Amino acid sequence: VVQRKCTLPQYQAEISKWKLQAEQVMLATTSDVPCHLLVVRCAEAQGALRDKAQQLAAGVASLIIKELEQKTAAIGGEYQLIFDKLQTDSTNAEEVVAMTEYLASCEGLMASLQQGIDEDLQGRIDLLGECAYALPEDVFSEVYSAISWPGRVKKVVADAVKKQEEDKVEFQEQLKADREKLSEDLDEWDKEITALSKLGDISDTEVNAATVTDLQAKLTDGQARMELYNSREELFGWELTEYPQFSDLSKALEPHFTL
């Protein structure tokens, strides 16, 4: 038994076997056995055999308690990860969507953890109780802390679902504002590039070199913003916004940039 893990019924059978053995030892014979002119004192041997059987039964129980500690730590650790993750604030649209997906995955994970509590923890607690073995105080505290996790996490899940919906609306509104600002910037850059086209003297090109470089940087940054906003539209299942102005503005700016 010490060298291998057993199922709960096997553990129960092992404990019952050794407890029965202890009882049978005491019933096997009387303390003193007359043998012709001698009296064989059996009490000490009986006690030793009984104690050994009881120790073996207790040893099996200690294995169950050790497994209980290990499984408690594993289940509690999984719940702690869920608990911490669900209290993380989303800082952008990508994190909002990731949290939505995580919340969806939590249902199956928590069902699996609940099964572990019912079978791995409660089953061992019940077995120890049936065999009249008490949990050490520190193990008792850890086990019942783990058993209380579902209730604590359930509240956090409810709060996380509500917060996630609020965050989703907030970042969708932010995306709308970002798209509107990009459109406004494109109109402004169009005016600036058009102004460059009205230069009357080629010598002014050097004077306006900084302006041309700045405009090119704005277009490059704007392109990155467009790609980011498109990716977020895709995350939210929206139709992608097209910005044909980028191509037109790049073409209009190219002669000035080259020059």
Side-chain angles (χ1 to χ4, degrees):
V1 174
V2 174
Q3 296 177 349
R4 64 186 175 88
K5 292 184 178 295
C6 298
T7 63
L8 292 184
Q10 288 172 329
Y11 276 138
Q12 184 172 30
E14 199 71 22
I15 291 175
S16 299
K17 179 182 74 175
W18 291 114
K19 282 196 167 187
L20 178 61
Q21 186 79 7
E23 295 173 2
Q24 290 176 336
V25 165
M26 299 309 294
L27 296 173
T29 183
T30 60
S31 298
D32 297 332
V33 179
C35 185
H36 300 293
L37 298 176
L38 301 175
V39 176
V40 179
R41 304 296 185 184
C42 299
E44 185 175 346
Q46 280 181 308
L49 289 171
R50 176 201 61 204
D51 292 346
K52 184 62 176 178
Q54 291 175 338
Q55 288 170 10
L56 289 169
V60 176
S62 71
L63 289 177
I64 298 173
I65 292 173
K66 184 177 181 179
E67 288 184 5
L68 188 57
E69 287 184 280
Q70 294 171 342
K71 292 180 181 296
T72 295
I75 290 174
E78 290 285 350
Y79 272 116
Q80 185 69 61
L81 289 174
I82 296 173
F83 187 84
D84 293 341
K85 174 69 175 177
L86 292 181
Q87 295 188 97
T88 303
D89 291 331
S90 298
T91 60
N92 53 51
E94 288 78 8
E95 291 179 1
V96 167
V97 174
M99 180 61 77
T100 301
E101 294 172 351
Y102 183 75
L103 281 165
S105 70
C106 276
E107 184 176 352
L109 178 56
M110 289 178 63
S112 176
L113 291 173
Q114 182 63 61
Q115 183 178 3
I117 289 176
D118 296 339
E119 298 177 0
D120 293 333
L121 302 191
Q122 194 61 56
R124 283 169 172 75
I125 293 170
D126 293 343
L127 176 55
L128 290 169
E130 291 173 12
C131 298
Y133 288 103
L135 284 173
E137 187 173 341
D138 58 333
V139 179
F140 178 90
S141 298
E142 292 173 5
V143 168
Y144 278 90
S145 175
I147 290 176
S148 70
W149 266 118
R152 282 182 281 169
V153 172
K154 184 178 181 180
K155 173 64 167 60
V156 174
V157 168
D159 292 343
V161 169
K162 181 180 178 182
K163 181 67 166 55
Q164 182 269 339
E165 289 298 330
E166 293 172 351
D167 288 346
K168 183 177 179 180
V169 171
E170 176 185 347
F171 287 113
Q172 285 179 337
E173 292 301 316
Q174 181 63 55
L175 178 56
K176 292 176 183 177
D178 288 339
R179 294 188 307 184
E180 185 175 343
K181 180 63 170 61
L182 179 57
S183 293
E184 292 174 356
D185 288 343
L186 285 167
D187 291 338
E188 183 62 30
W189 300 337
D190 184 30
K191 293 176 183 177
E192 293 179 29
I193 293 174
T194 299
L196 285 175
S197 301
K198 295 179 180 179
L199 290 174
D201 193 326
I202 195 65
S203 63
D204 290 338
T205 301
E206 185 174 352
V207 177
N208 288 277
T211 301
V212 173
T213 301
D214 182 56
L215 280 168
Q216 182 61 45
K218 288 178 179 178
L219 287 178
T220 300
D221 178 68
Q223 188 79 25
R225 286 162 60 190
M226 178 196 71
E227 293 173 359
L228 176 62
Y229 301 159
N230 280 167
S231 71
R232 288 177 174 174
E233 288 172 331
E234 190 172 5
L235 284 174
F236 290 134
W238 294 358
E239 184 178 351
L240 301 188
T241 302
E242 296 182 0
Y243 300 89
Q245 301 100 310
F246 275 110
S247 178
D248 296 338
L249 293 179
S250 294
K251 290 178 181 178
L253 184 62
E254 185 176 0
H256 302 285
F257 189 76
T258 302
L259 186 58

